[in-house]
Amino acid sequence: MKYLISLLLLSFSTFAAETPGPFKIKEIFMSHPANFHFRVISDNPDAWHCHNGPKNPSWSYINEADPGSKGMMSALLAAYVSNKTVSLVTKGVDTYAGRMCQIVEFKISQ
């Protein structure tokens, strides 16, 4: 019974949010809407956006189908154009291409 309760609790657990250090966006890369569509590339190639995520360059993504994606993409594009510092909250997602970092939320500052 104890095993069953533990299993149920694990199945309803939330994702582990990760918070990489603040950075400036070096570039934006656009791809297919469901294939890591809007990619934010860090100005620090050795930084990480999530545990075991892409490095050199470090990047994280938003897909077009993600909730709030259009507003998030617009705000990150504005941060890029105005050279603002971005602080992300990401989650690691295991995909066919390995571990990728999906942007969940972010903060833009001076």
Side-chain angles (χ1 to χ4, degrees):
M1 183 67 164
K2 198 179 216 182
Y3 174 75
L4 181 59
I5 291 171
S6 297
L7 185 61
L8 284 173
L9 288 175
L10 284 174
S11 67
F12 292 113
S13 65
T14 60
F15 66 90
E18 301 186 60
T19 53
F23 64 92
K24 300 233 187 234
I25 299 172
K26 179 180 178 185
E27 61 186 273
I28 301 285
F29 181 84
M30 299 288 289
S31 181
H32 184 273
N35 185 27
F36 319 120
H37 178 56
F38 184 88
R39 301 177 198 183
V40 174
I41 300 169
S42 172
D43 64 345
N44 180 354
D46 296 322
W48 59 272
H49 288 209
C50 67
H51 183 69
N52 288 333
K55 283 190 178 176
N56 205 14
S58 297
W59 58 274
S60 48
Y61 74 94
I62 300 170
N63 277 333
E64 193 170 294
D66 294 347
S69 64
K70 293 196 183 351
M72 291 171 68
M73 288 182 224
S74 297
L76 287 167
L77 191 57
Y80 169 66
V81 169
S82 55
N83 201 33
K84 300 285 185 184
T85 299
V86 177
S87 299
L88 300 178
V89 175
T90 62
K91 71 176 180 178
V93 178
D94 292 321
T95 70
Y96 66 90
R99 185 104 165 147
M100 299 300 165
C101 310
Q102 184 176 20
I103 298 171
V104 177
E105 60 185 51
F106 57 88
K107 178 176 85 171
I108 299 170
S109 57
Q110 294 293 333

